[in-house]
Structure formats: structure tokens, C-alpha cells
Amino acid sequence: MTLKKKIIAAIAVLLVLALFYLAGTGFQKRTDVFLEEYSVSEDGAEMTFTTGIASSMGYIRGFKDNGGGVKPHYLTFYSTFGGLNSLFGAKQDFKLELDPEDTEIYFARPDQGYELVLVKDGETGEWRRPDDTIEYNGKKYLKSELSEATLNWLALSEQERLLSSYMPPEFVTLQEDWGITLEAEDITPGGLTIRCTQSGGNPTGELNTGSWYIVENWTQENGWKEVDYVIKDNIGWTMEAWLIPENSTSKWEVDWEWLYGKLPVGKYRIGKEIMDFREPGDYDKAIYYAEFEITEEMVE
């Protein structure tokens, strides 16, 4: 074989190897992919999500779903064709078909492992990141529903919690099992109507309530905190005792503008003290709440 033919053959071999390399990179698994954002269609049949990679080099072109249906989704992502840092076919945004029975979504990790990135709430049907929830005393809470003070308290050791003077209000149970449910209706910045339903429960006497109420505002920083008064005088609550009949619904109108003023946009709850009255000097009290929101449309 002449030198010229040997050179051509060598170049051909190099070209073939280069092509195999460029094509082969597109079959390399990426185990450093993380979830940036996600949203679910209104019918819950499709999820759109945005990804990123932890490495400073490379891109992804797509994924393979090794689950779905009654099983969790196990997603394995692949590099782009054309080399480690090629942009050919690079994507960040993807769509994933969902089944009503789907429960979890995992991303591939090294050594054939997978990491849970999203979980479906069995009660609400919403998809959430697994670290969006906290479990305390057997009950799950969304981090977004807990104040920063409560999150800091949860980070303490058990001994530090016992020595702390702080007790998260989100974990304090003030409601008794008297079959009472409160709902807010006809909401305005200056008042609302409380709808009280009594059904079942275990009251031991006659249920009633008075004129007293409390309105609290929720913020991530402070949790639930009573709204500041707009009056400086002492508050005198009247001594009514409104009966709460068994298996019935009662309504009470509340006008708080004299006490709290008109409320701005935000998340609130109104609390009513309920009494389980057996006889003079023999009774129990508990506070029940109804949550509500003041929206921009209400204050316009």
C-alpha cells in the first residue's frame, strides 16, 4: 500500500471514530440534572418543567421515562449529540404526560440511583417538592404555611425546644371536638358573616358563643398575629350568649371596622370563642377559626 493510501485510510478511520464519538455523546446519561421550575395543566394530564445541570460543561437533549401510570416516573436524561459541550438539540424545557394514579417523579443519579424531586399530595392532588413539607407529631405541614419563627424552632434539638419559651401557634390545638365548623362568607375589608355549622362531635353540655372575636393576619415572618387596633380606648364586649343548636347552622354578622379598620390585601382568620356549658361554674371554652382572604378586587 502506498503512503498516500495509508494516509487516506488513517484519515478515514479518524473520521469514523470522530463520528462515533460525536454521536455517542448523545447516549451518555446525565446524572447532574436538577429541577428548576414546573407547572401542571388544569386537567392534571401534563406537566411542563424546566431543568438545569450542576456541571459547568454540557447540555441535555431529552429524557427517557422508565415509569409512569401507577408507578412513579423515573426520568433519565441524556447529553446532546456532537460532543460534550455541543448545543445541537439542547433543551431545558420538557413536557411529561401524567396519569391520575401517578404519585412521584424521580431524576437519575450516579450508580443507577434516583432522587425524588416531586411528590403528589394524596389529599389535594397537587405536585410539590418533597422538602416543601414538614412533619410534626404525625401531621404534615407546608413550609409556606409556617412562620420563620416556627421553622427556626423546628431546627432546634429536642432539648433546646423544651428549654425554649416559644411554642409555634401553628401546632397549638385550641379547637375541641364539639362538631363545630366555621366558614367565612360575604367577605369585605370591613367585615364578614360567620357561618357556624354543628354536627356530631362530643360536647358535654350546651354550646354557645358571645360577642367576642379576634382577627389575625398571617405572614411568613410572624405567622398568625392579631391585627393592630385602630382605637386606643378599652374594649368592652357585651355579654350575649348565642345558643348553637345541635345539627344546625347559625350565622353571625361581624363588623370590625370600628376595631381593626378596613383590612388591606392579605390572608386572615377570624376566631370565635365557643363555650360548652354544663352549669354555672362548670364549662369548657375553645377557640374556633375560619380563614379568609382580602383580595385586590375587594379593596378597589
Side-chain angles (χ1 to χ4, degrees), residues 121-174:
D121 190 304
E123 296 182 0
T124 66
E126 296 181 1
W127 287 91
R128 299 194 181 101
R129 299 176 189 268
D131 57 356
D132 283 347
T133 60
I134 284 178
E135 185 168 332
Y136 180 77
N137 277 353
K139 183 178 179 181
K140 290 185 178 180
Y141 299 84
L142 288 176
K143 282 186 177 180
S144 60
E145 296 175 344
L146 302 178
S147 66
E148 292 181 3
T150 296
L151 292 174
N152 292 334
W153 183 84
L154 286 168
L156 299 175
S157 66
E158 186 173 350
Q159 184 176 7
E160 289 173 327
R161 291 180 189 176
L162 292 174
L163 295 175
S164 173
S165 60
Y166 178 78
M167 179 60 194
E170 296 95 334
F171 301 154
V172 177
T173 301
L174 299 177

Side-chain angles (χ1 to χ4, degrees), residues 240-277:
E240 294 95 338
W242 302 323
L243 295 180
I244 303 175
E246 293 184 9
N247 300 311
S248 66
T249 297
S250 306
K251 290 188 178 184
W252 310 308
E253 293 185 3
V254 178
D255 180 357
W256 59 63
E257 194 168 345
W258 65 277
L259 181 60
Y260 298 113
K262 290 187 176 181
L263 302 181
V265 172
K267 178 180 178 180
Y268 299 88
R269 69 179 183 180
I270 185 167
K272 287 287 292 179
E273 186 178 70
I274 308 294
M275 179 186 291
D276 183 10
F277 181 84

Side-chain angles (χ1 to χ4, degrees), residues 169-170 172 174-175 184 192 214-218 223-227 256 263 266-271 287-293:
E170 296 95 334
V172 177
L174 299 177
Q175 300 181 169
L192 52 69
I214 185 173
V215 176
E216 298 176 342
N217 175 229
W218 193 94
W224 290 111
K225 183 179 180 181
E226 185 174 9
V227 177
W256 59 63
L263 302 181
K267 178 180 178 180
Y268 299 88
R269 69 179 183 180
I270 185 167
I287 299 178
Y288 284 78
Y289 292 96
E291 295 187 15
F292 63 95
E293 291 187 10

